[in-house]
Amino acid sequence: MNLVLMGPPGAGKGTQGEILSKRLDINTISTGVMLRTAIKEQSEIGKMAEKYINDGKLVPDDVIVSIVKERLQKPDCAKGFILDGFPRTIPQAKALKKMLADRNSKVHAVVGLEVDDNELVDRLLKRGKESGRSDDNLETINKRLEVYHNQTSPLRDYYKQEGKYHAIHGSGSIDDIFESIKCSIAKATKE
């Protein structure tokens, strides 16, 4: 099964991705984690990505697509994966569709975690204090939310047209949100 977790920063994609990964026995692939690792290692991609991330902007499509394509070719993705943080633009979604079609595969479901912006800001500020993530400050959070609404939220319509988008209310307990996701995935695999 190939899943995409979609939602604004702080919606809970990472948390739900970990739970889904354990339950479905497939890997969660987080472009955010891959980029933060590249930044920490100060690789060429990491240096380039750092500037975009610190400004609250998306890393260019071609860079992200190449990173994800390389990652999806690894053997641990053969039985499926959960993408967290990719795609974030319609060109990325189209690139993913082609990548998977070349392997006679597809995205089976897109789970969209939907959370109010005020709650997201509170969550991200709290996460920044607890984790020390430099991009979890008010100015960058507001930029990231603006970028999400302008560039990423159009993916909802793209995936709705494909019949793959499943909106999940991302507020409440982690367990309740997971149960909603589980029901959506079960429905998607029966269709």
Side-chain angles (χ1 to χ4, degrees):
M1 172 167 301
N2 302 326
L3 301 174
V4 171
L5 286 178
M6 199 178 124
K13 298 179 300 291
T15 300
Q16 294 300 328
E18 283 181 36
I19 297 168
L20 283 165
S21 179
K22 290 175 186 167
R23 300 278 175 94
L24 299 174
D25 193 31
I26 56 178
N27 285 332
T28 297
I29 299 166
S30 167
T31 53
V33 169
M34 288 191 293
L35 288 170
R36 283 189 294 278
T37 300
I39 290 167
K40 186 176 180 181
E41 294 171 352
Q42 286 294 290
S43 69
E44 287 306 310
I45 288 175
K47 290 175 187 174
M48 182 184 2
E50 185 172 30
K51 180 176 178 0
Y52 288 97
I53 291 169
N54 287 342
D55 289 341
K57 297 177 182 174
L58 294 182
V59 176
D61 288 346
D62 58 332
V63 174
I64 294 295
V65 168
S66 65
I67 291 170
V68 171
K69 184 175 184 177
E70 182 179 306
R71 179 64 181 91
L72 293 182
Q73 291 172 347
K74 297 196 179 202
D76 64 343
C77 292
K79 64 181 178 178
F81 53 80
I82 302 162
L83 287 172
D84 165 3
F86 182 88
R88 290 196 178 186
T89 64
I90 291 173
Q92 288 178 11
K94 289 178 178 179
L96 175 62
K97 187 175 187 174
K98 182 180 180 335
M99 262 184 251
L100 294 176
D102 290 347
R103 297 171 30 185
N104 295 317
S105 191
K106 64 181 182 176
V107 169
H108 295 95
V110 176
V111 175
L113 295 171
E114 299 185 355
V115 183
D116 175 74
D117 279 2
N118 291 329
E119 184 174 342
L120 292 169
V121 170
D122 291 343
R123 286 182 186 185
L124 291 168
L125 288 173
K126 181 180 177 187
R127 182 177 79 181
K129 287 178 187 172
E130 292 172 357
S131 71
R133 275 183 55 174
S134 63
D135 60 335
D136 283 342
N137 62 69
L138 189 56
E139 182 181 346
T140 305
I141 290 166
N142 286 329
K143 285 181 189 174
R144 289 168 63 205
L145 288 173
E146 182 180 337
V147 167
Y148 175 81
H149 292 303
N150 291 334
Q151 295 182 26
T152 305
S153 64
L155 281 174
R156 280 195 302 258
D157 291 334
Y158 175 84
Y159 281 120
K160 279 181 184 177
Q161 289 175 348
E162 291 200 345
K164 295 179 189 273
Y165 187 81
H166 302 270
I168 301 294
H169 185 63
S171 296
S173 78
I174 291 170
D175 291 336
D176 288 346
I177 296 166
F178 173 74
E179 286 303 316
S180 295
I181 293 171
K182 190 170 81 171
C183 290
S184 288
I185 291 170
K187 180 182 173 191
T189 56
K190 289 178 186 175
E191 294 173 348

